Amino acid sequence: MKINWVDIENFRNIEKLNLSFDNVNIIYGENAQGKTNLIEAIYLFTGSKSFRGVKDKELITFDKDFSRLKIDFENKNRPQNAEIFIQEKRTASLNGVKKKSAASLGEELKAVIFSPVHLSMVKDGPSQRRKFIDNALCQLKFNYRNVLKEYNRALAQRNMLLKDISKNSSLSDMLYIWDRNLASSGAKIIYQRNKYIETLLPYAKNIFDGLSNGKESIDLILKGAFDYTNLTVAEIENNLISAFEKSRTNDFMNKITTVGPHRDDLEILINQKSARSFGSQGQQRSCVLALKLAEASLLKEMTDDEPLALLDDVMSELDISRQDYILNHIKDWQVFITCCDANTVLRLKDGKTFHISNGGLI
């Protein structure tokens, strides 16, 4: 997979920018000049929302009515083009044909992104780790996004019913309906998450071993209301129904659903100790890098196409050997790297450079 050029209009601080790309693309400049905005614009073509967690309308340049993004790309040697238009919401077209949703672009474009905001995946609570798994699965299995929506819709309705039950206890007889709806979609989510972690782990172990020079090992465990190991979807569904029944007292008290895949966590271990509780800054950063590069490797393996590698400020805190290791793992992919000093990366590998200042090219 390769992006040949991008045309950006009214996106954050970028009013107009048209760039053509090579295999290795180094985007450098001072902080807050638009380097990450360029990476973010490219990432939207995977069908995902902004990795910075903002609403679509916040991506439009201040005082402008719309934002328009265009790319020309190759997927499995087939030339294509895509466009995203942002106003109140995102709309998209592929090869001149309007798509039902911008999310459907993810069927054609795959990318893995690392940004300093992703360090929260280790440092913060479970939601960031669940988001990592879910975003990866949405790129691998397009229907997974629909199952997530189905689960979240049922969860919202069950939580609303729990609030109503606190005012009218006779409504509690209706709870079993939402238990079954939640268990049905929730079981599919848990099964896919667990299978993904099992498949991802060998890749992550290999990369983390390289990053740590063989001194440390990483492990991943999906933790939930019960042990998910080796369970079928049907078994998970039955166990979820039992878990909902057992948690009803807590649910009534808290007026929310207290168990289920929306409360699960991915435990990240370094040498069998929690990376979140005991890992150093460098170890935590290496964990995120290992997971992101493992995600890219698995995408390549399962889709038979190289994903884009979008690395935002990835090199600044790494020594030369770790920088070298990372670049060796993405040397066959198209890569976009942002940094303040282009020489940081150029001494390791030649590439096309773009000096960005105030949202424009110098």
Side-chain angles (χ1 to χ4, degrees), residues 196-209 218 290-291 293-302 325 329:
Y196 180 75
I197 293 305
E198 289 177 359
T199 310
L200 184 76
L201 184 55
Y203 293 91
K205 279 182 171 293
N206 180 56
I207 293 167
F208 194 83
D209 182 72
I218 188 173
L291 290 175
L293 292 176
E295 178 191 354
S297 299
L298 190 52
L299 262 175
K300 182 179 177 181
E301 182 76 21
M302 296 185 72
Y325 183 84
H329 273 75

Side-chain angles (χ1 to χ4, degrees), residues 121-147:
M121 191 164 76
V122 176
K123 296 175 180 290
D124 293 349
S127 64
Q128 294 299 318
R129 293 182 283 280
R130 290 194 300 268
K131 185 177 179 180
F132 162 71
I133 305 172
D134 290 341
N135 285 346
L137 280 167
C138 283
Q139 292 203 76
L140 286 170
K141 299 177 180 293
F142 188 69
N143 190 55
Y144 184 80
R145 196 186 304 270
N146 295 329
V147 177

Side-chain angles (χ1 to χ4, degrees), residues 60-316:
I60 302 171
T61 302
F62 183 68
D63 280 345
K64 300 294 183 181
D65 296 326
F66 69 91
S67 176
R68 180 181 281 112
L69 312 173
K70 299 179 181 179
I71 62 166
D72 182 273
F73 68 101
E74 296 173 19
N75 185 2
K76 298 180 181 177
N77 298 318
R78 184 161 62 101
Q80 301 193 72
N81 60 79
E83 178 177 327
I84 293 174
F85 185 81
I86 307 172
Q87 207 159 33
E88 288 301 315
K89 62 177 183 177
R90 276 183 296 159
T91 58
S93 63
L94 179 68
N95 302 322
V97 179
K98 189 173 181 179
K99 304 292 285 184
K100 289 184 178 179
S101 69
S104 61
L105 288 177
E107 297 179 66
E108 296 293 334
L109 282 109
K110 312 292 183 186
V112 170
I113 184 158
F114 172 88
S115 169
V117 300
H118 292 119
L119 294 175
S120 63
M121 191 164 76
V122 176
K123 296 175 180 290
D124 293 349
S127 64
Q128 294 299 318
R129 293 182 283 280
R130 290 194 300 268
K131 185 177 179 180
F132 162 71
I133 305 172
D134 290 341
N135 285 346
L137 280 167
C138 283
Q139 292 203 76
L140 286 170
K141 299 177 180 293
F142 188 69
N143 190 55
Y144 184 80
R145 196 186 304 270
N146 295 329
V147 177
L148 273 179
K149 288 180 180 178
E150 180 185 328
Y151 180 83
N152 288 330
R153 185 163 50 246
L155 178 65
Q157 290 167 326
R158 188 180 191 272
N159 286 343
M160 191 179 300
L161 179 60
L162 285 168
K163 289 181 175 63
D164 291 340
I165 289 171
S166 68
K167 302 169 188 175
N168 183 357
S169 60
S170 65
L171 295 173
S172 60
D173 292 339
M174 298 175 58
L175 206 55
Y176 80 95
I177 299 173
W178 299 115
D179 287 358
R180 293 193 172 279
N181 287 343
L182 268 188
S184 176
S185 53
K188 297 170 189 172
I189 290 170
I190 290 169
Y191 181 82
Q192 293 293 346
R193 282 178 179 174
N194 205 44
K195 286 297 180 184
Y196 180 75
I197 293 305
E198 289 177 359
T199 310
L200 184 76
L201 184 55
Y203 293 91
K205 279 182 171 293
N206 180 56
I207 293 167
F208 194 83
D209 182 72
L211 285 169
S212 66
N213 292 316
K215 297 175 182 177
E216 297 162 342
S217 64
I218 188 173
D219 278 292
L220 307 170
I221 303 172
L222 187 63
K223 307 285 282 189
F226 48 90
D227 185 0
Y228 300 146
T229 307
N230 297 326
L231 296 183
T232 64
V233 174
E235 289 170 335
I236 295 172
E237 183 174 345
N238 290 332
N239 284 342
L240 271 179
I241 291 172
S242 297
F244 292 144
E245 290 174 352
K246 291 176 183 176
S247 67
R248 282 195 177 186
T249 300
N250 277 340
D251 291 357
F252 290 148
M253 186 182 305
N254 292 286
K255 301 182 182 66
I256 57 171
T257 305
T258 56
V259 298
H262 64 288
R263 301 296 292 266
D264 289 355
D265 194 6
L266 173 63
E267 190 172 15
I268 304 172
L269 304 172
I270 302 175
N271 293 341
Q272 299 304 310
K273 292 184 178 179
S274 167
R276 183 187 183 196
S277 301
F278 302 105
S280 67
Q281 294 273 11
Q283 287 175 322
Q284 291 179 345
R285 192 178 187 89
S286 293
C287 281
V288 178
L289 284 169
L291 290 175
K292 287 291 181 176
L293 292 176
E295 178 191 354
S297 299
L298 190 52
L299 262 175
K300 182 179 177 181
E301 182 76 21
M302 296 185 72
T303 64
D304 195 32
D305 195 15
E306 296 84 3
L308 304 174
L310 308 175
L311 305 181
D312 183 29
D313 194 27
V314 70
M315 302 296 182
S316 59

Side-chain angles (χ1 to χ4, degrees), residues 24-28 342 346 351-355 361:
V24 177
N25 303 277
I26 299 156
I27 304 152
Y28 71 101
L346 281 178
K352 196 168 184 178
T353 62
F354 304 90
H355 189 180
L361 183 67

